[in-house]
């Protein structure tokens, strides 16, 4: 396989437009070079993952979890919780007992 | 109080250390100093640790020795130094996942396994290096630099629990804990020549294990021998009401059965196993079958047709879950923040700066597999393949008690060999992935050497909660080598 960048045979499974959209959804910023490289690498992976395309999966129940799981309930009794100061002290910026963030509204308009 | 001991006077096995400390034969402080000296001597070259907890461990060892003097009852890991993969939360102590994005973060709580280790009398000696967020098979994807294989410093230790594997192999700790999402305990164990166990999903609490792929992640032990790995697994397993996926049962019971042998056990050979293992690895696997046959096991051919699709199912499901789990790193609550004029720009700058290339790649792959228009073709189909794999294994286990496969396709490869080609790195997980998808246990046992005299691991697989039979088989393989 070698470096994905060096290969000229690129599949059309995913194009750079789609990768750019995915990066945006995932809140990641890519340079032009990174976008090109990511497109090649994701294409290469999706080519590899095409081995399941031919499988007949009609009627197979999707498996999201290894064990059967159900909601776990507990009695509503008072117990220790995380210490607020300790949690906030691990945050980048906190103020007045809260996480502080940059402005959310009123910048784009 | 026991006389001071050094070096060779101190036992190597965790089972012996614990016995001697509990019985006042050896002091926990002396045990600890032996390992700290070894770390001091060699970890600059190996780089198994992100953080060595010198002061905390010394205080803890002294506390244990005081308890011995006062005649208090101590747990099964009394005075045993344990290295922890740095994706397990330790209250007030940095926990990094080897990522810049958790820069400066100190967890406000302990992982359940940390509490259990403390209750058992263990001494946490340090936090070990990993591929960032446990994504990788070589421990080269760490924000703090790669870990080297103690057997050959030019080679990788495997990953993602490469630091935990190297720590045990280098003699920095008698045992360690790793986490295994697709082979991240078993593959580095194989490459470093130590025992590595991925227990049944839900057997060990995941509370405080920083999530990569929640339906696949599981904590497990790494050790120099099978008995030590059993001891550690027994200490950390058992139901945790704080983990809703934790199995409702007590700790696993394994140690008592290690000497039972394999007479009458049915050991499966998978005839349609995916190709790709190198000749030296296959050769050792054949020797393992012979050893078990000689010890009275019956070798039975079985087919697991969907085994070969595990890689694809895994590399769609795990990134999908990761893309969701890692959405929480947005510069608000933990670690790194890159300042920007508004919240959205801050999210973007923080994540772009904080995550490494492989993590970004998997987040993008997972986001794509889950996105509208592709969900059915990728994530949806992968979930069906996962079911198919589970059904195929269940059928195989009607005919056999355990299965034997390679743990890693090759011995330790050279650093840099696979870093430019992600797909070639992913293929390292071919033989370990299926048991994460099914939730069944698996373990790698060191079984001689292959190319260049490097360690080879044989993998023993068993059905859910059949750790006892899996460990019996592993113990027999170990005995056959001695």
């Amino acid at each position: 396989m070698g470096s994905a960048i060096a290969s000229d045979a690129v599949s059309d499974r995913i194009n750079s437009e789609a990768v750019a959209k995915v990066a945006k959804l995932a809140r990641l910023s890519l340079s032009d070079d990174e976008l090109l490289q990511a497109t090649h690498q994701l294409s290469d992976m999706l080519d590899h993952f095409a081995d399941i395309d031919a499988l007949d999966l009609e009627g197979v129940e999707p498996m999201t979890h290894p064990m059967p799981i159900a909601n776990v309930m507990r009695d509503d009794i008072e117990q220790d919780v995380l210490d607020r100061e300790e949690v906030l002290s691990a945050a980048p910026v906190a103020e007045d007992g809260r996480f502080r963030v940059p402005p959310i509204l009123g910048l784009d308009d | 109080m026991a006389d001071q001991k050094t070096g060779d006077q101190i036992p190597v096995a965790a089972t012996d250390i614990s016995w001697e400390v509990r019985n006042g034969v050896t002091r926990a402080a002396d045990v600890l100093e032996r390992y700290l000296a070894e770390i001091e001597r060699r970890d600059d070259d190996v780089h198994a640790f992100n953080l060595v907890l010198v002061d905390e461990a010394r205080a803890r060892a002294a506390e244990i020795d005081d308890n011995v003097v006062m005649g208090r009852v101590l747990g099964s890991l009394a005075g045993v130094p344990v290295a922890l993969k740095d994706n397990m939360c330790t209250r007030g102590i940095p926990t990094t996942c080897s990522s810049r994005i958790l820069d400066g973060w100190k967890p406000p709580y302990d992982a359940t396994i940390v509490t259990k280790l403390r209750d058992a009398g263990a001494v946490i000696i340090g936090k070990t290096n990993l591929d960032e967020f446990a994504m990788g098979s070589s421990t080269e994807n760490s924000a703090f630099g790669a870990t080297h294989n103690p057997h050959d410093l030019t080679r990788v230790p495997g990953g993602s629990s490469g630091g935990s594997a190297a720590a045990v192999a280098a003699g920095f700790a008698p045992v360690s804990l790793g986490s295994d999402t697709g082979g991240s305990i078993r593959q580095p164990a194989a490459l470093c020549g130590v025992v590595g166990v991925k227990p049944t999903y839900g057997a060990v609490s995941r509370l405080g294990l920083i999530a990569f792929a929640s339906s696949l992640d599981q904590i497990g032990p790494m050790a120099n021998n099978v008995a030590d790995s059993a001891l550690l697994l027994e200490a950390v397993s058992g139901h945790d009401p704080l983990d809703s996926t934790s199995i409702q049962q007590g700790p696993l019971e394994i140690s008592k059965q290690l000497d039972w042998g394999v007479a009458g056990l049915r050991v499966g050979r998978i005839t349609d196993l995916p190709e790709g293992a190198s000749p030296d690895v296959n050769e050792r696997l054949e020797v393992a079958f012979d050893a078990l046959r000689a010890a009275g096991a019956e070798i039975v051919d079985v087919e697991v047709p969907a085994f070969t699709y595990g890689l694809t199912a895994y590399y769609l499901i795990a990134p999908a879950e990761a893309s969701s789990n890692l959405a929480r790193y947005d510069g608000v609550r933990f670690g790194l923040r890159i300042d920007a004029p508004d919240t959205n720009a801050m999210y973007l700058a923080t994540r772009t700066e904080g995550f490494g290339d492989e993590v970004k790649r998997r987040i993008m792959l997972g986001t794509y597999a889950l996105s509208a228009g592709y969900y059915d073709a990728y994530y949806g189909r992968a979930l069906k393949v996962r079911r198919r794999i589970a059904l195929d294994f269940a059928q195989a286990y009607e005919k056999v008690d355990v299965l034997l496969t390679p743990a890693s396709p090759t011995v330790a490869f050279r650093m840099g060999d696979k870093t430019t080609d992600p797909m070639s790195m992913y293929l390292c997980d071919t033989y370990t992935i299926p048991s994460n998808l099914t939730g069944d246990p698996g373990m790698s046992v060191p079984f001689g050497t292959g190319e260049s005299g490097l360690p080879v691991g044989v993998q023993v697989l068993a059905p859910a909660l059949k750790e006892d039979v899996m460990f019996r088989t592993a113990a027999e393989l170990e005995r056959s080598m001695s």
Side-chain angles (χ1 to χ4, degrees), chain A residues 1-5 12-15 18-31 34-35 37-39 41-74 79-94 98-108, chain B residues 91-92 104-109 200-202 206 214-216 241-242 244-245 247-248 308-309 311-313 315-317 321 331-337 339-344 346-349 351-352 355 357 359-361 363-365 367-368 371-372 374 377-388 390-391 420-424 426-427 436-440 464:
Chain A
M1 284 176 278
S3 165
I5 278 282
D12 52 4
R13 285 190 167 263
I14 188 167
N15 56 30
V19 176
K21 188 183 167 203
V22 163
K24 188 171 179 238
L25 289 172
R27 299 284 191 273
L28 295 169
S29 157
L30 300 179
S31 69
E34 285 169 340
L35 178 64
Q37 187 182 34
T39 307
Q41 288 174 333
L42 291 179
S43 250
D44 187 29
M45 289 174 203
L46 294 174
D47 272 344
H48 207 279
F49 301 159
D51 64 345
I52 63 168
D53 287 356
L55 286 178
D56 179 9
L57 298 168
E58 191 65 36
V60 179
E61 186 71 16
M63 180 173 167
T64 54
H65 206 267
M67 305 282 164
I69 45 172
N71 273 336
V72 177
M73 312 296 257
R74 65 166 173 81
Q79 49 185 259
D80 289 342
V81 293
L82 295 181
D83 180 76
R84 176 189 286 204
E85 286 313 310
E86 204 174 346
V87 171
L88 289 171
S89 73
V93 192
R98 298 178 181 85
F99 298 110
R100 187 190 164 126
V101 295
I104 297 169
L105 301 170
L107 284 167
D108 296 334
Chain B
R91 186 173 182 175
W105 184 64
K106 292 177 182 169
Y109 66 99
T200 302
Y201 183 86
R206 289 186 299 112
S214 309
S215 83
L216 304 162
L242 297 175
S244 63
T245 60
I247 293 173
Q248 299 268 356
T308 190
Y309 303 110
L311 196 83
T312 293
Y315 276 101
L316 291 169
I317 292 168
E321 293 189 19
V332 174
R333 288 157 297 165
F334 330 94
L336 184 74
R337 173 184 297 183
D339 285 323
D342 68 274
T343 316
N344 268 322
M346 187 274 284
Y347 295 154
L348 188 73
R351 290 167 63 82
T352 299
F355 290 133
D357 288 346
V359 172
K360 287 178 184 167
R361 200 148 43 228
I363 289 174
M364 288 192 286
L365 177 59
T367 305
Y368 182 69
S371 60
Y374 300 101
Y378 291 111
Y379 183 65
R381 276 185 78 77
L383 292 180
K384 291 182 176 186
V385 174
R386 182 178 189 177
R387 173 79 60 194
R388 185 65 91 61
L391 292 172
T420 55
D421 181 2
M423 205 55 230
S424 72
Y426 297 174
L427 288 166
N436 297 86
L437 293 169
T438 62
D440 297 336

Side-chain angles (χ1 to χ4, degrees), chain B residues 145-323:
Chain B
T147 297
H148 300 251
N149 192 314
H151 294 273
D152 177 347
L153 295 173
T154 68
R155 294 180 189 252
V156 303
S160 67
S161 310
S164 288
V168 172
F172 299 159
V175 290
S176 63
L177 285 177
S179 66
D180 191 312
T181 305
S184 278
I185 290 173
R186 293 161 286 162
Q187 184 257 10
L191 270 45
C192 288
V194 302
V195 178
V197 185
K198 199 281 294 182
T200 302
Y201 183 86
V204 178
S205 169
R206 289 186 299 112
L207 179 88
L209 169 67
I210 295 177
F212 159 15
S214 309
S215 83
L216 304 162
D217 297 340
Q218 189 62 188
I219 291 172
M222 309 179 88
N224 284 308
N225 61 68
V226 173
D228 282 358
S229 66
L231 181 76
L232 181 53
L233 178 53
E234 287 171 332
V236 297
S237 61
H239 180 64
D240 179 6
L242 297 175
D243 172 1
S244 63
T245 60
S246 169
I247 293 173
Q248 299 268 356
Q249 65 163 44
L252 294 166
E253 288 183 28
I254 307 157
S255 293
K256 284 181 191 139
Q257 301 186 25
L258 291 180
D259 296 334
W260 287 13
V262 295
L265 223 58
R266 298 164 303 168
V267 176
R269 176 205 300 272
I270 302 174
T271 53
D272 51 358
L273 199 64
E275 286 174 13
S278 60
D280 54 338
V281 170
N282 278 325
E283 198 183 304
R284 293 309 300 163
L285 182 63
E286 285 313 308
V287 177
F289 279 117
D290 290 345
L292 295 178
R293 189 186 292 111
E298 183 192 353
I299 312 300
V300 180
D301 283 353
V302 292
E303 288 184 350
V304 186
F307 195 119
T308 190
Y309 303 110
L311 196 83
T312 293
Y314 175 85
Y315 276 101
L316 291 169
I317 292 168
E321 293 189 19
S323 71

Side-chain angles (χ1 to χ4, degrees), chain A residues 73-79:
Chain A
M73 312 296 257
R74 65 166 173 81
D75 294 334
D76 187 17
I77 42 174
E78 199 179 321
Q79 49 185 259

